Amino acid sequence: MARAATTSDVFNAVAEPRRREILKLLVVTELPVGDIVALLKVDQPSVSKHLRVLRDVGLVHVRRNGRHKLYRTNAHAIRPLHEWAGTFEHYWTHQLNRVKERAEARMKRNAEEGNPQRRNDDVHRS
């Protein structure tokens, strides 16, 4: 099955780590390209290319302020990503609860056996 182009699919667009970094910066404040370049220490053409992809899929808005273009995240467009990632929250919460329960049970057994502290490598073997 062919992948969707990064310019038409939000999920493919954010698959690129540099674009995720840009989105993180733009969550806090609206920034011009030059500030993004300085903060990420990446060349301007690369940042502009990533911003164009993010803009094309609707993840960032751009507005003009004189000669400058200011970019900011489009929270509405990010919502599908958030909802999709949220489908896994139950799974991870369940897994973490199981780990916690197992650790607490092991600590209780050790305390009952009169061995309250065990070496880390003993804990990892079981």
Side-chain angles (χ1 to χ4, degrees):
M1 176 182 233
R3 273 182 29 162
T6 58
T7 57
S8 65
D9 180 72
V10 170
F11 291 92
N12 282 325
V14 298
E16 212 290 322
R18 186 66 69 190
R19 291 188 196 119
R20 292 192 304 269
E21 288 182 68
I22 291 169
L23 286 172
K24 283 183 199 176
L25 288 175
L26 298 176
V27 163
V28 178
T29 187
E30 188 176 60
L31 294 171
V33 174
D35 288 2
I36 298 168
V37 166
L39 290 165
L40 295 180
K41 297 177 177 67
V42 178
D43 60 280
Q44 189 273 327
S46 178
V47 170
S48 291
K49 179 186 119 192
H50 289 307
L51 284 168
R52 179 169 182 185
V53 170
L54 293 170
R55 190 183 70 229
D56 288 350
V57 298
L59 290 174
V60 297
H61 288 300
V62 63
R63 77 174 176 88
R64 286 208 173 268
N65 184 14
R67 294 182 348 185
H68 299 283
K69 289 182 180 179
L70 299 172
Y71 293 86
R72 64 184 164 87
T73 57
N74 175 6
H76 181 72
I78 292 173
R79 187 175 187 88
L81 295 170
H82 173 71
E83 289 172 352
W84 178 81
T87 62
F88 298 97
E89 183 177 358
H90 173 73
Y91 169 77
W92 286 111
T93 301
H94 176 70
Q95 293 299 323
L96 291 173
N97 286 338
R98 287 184 57 204
V99 169
K100 179 183 173 195
E101 289 167 5
R102 288 176 61 195
E104 288 171 348
R106 177 164 295 156
M107 286 174 49
K108 184 178 178 183
R109 276 195 317 272
N110 288 342
E112 289 170 355
E113 294 170 358
N115 185 13
Q117 293 185 343
R118 292 177 68 182
R119 291 181 17 212
N120 275 347
D121 57 347
D122 291 342
V123 173
H124 293 294
R125 270 191 236 150
S126 322

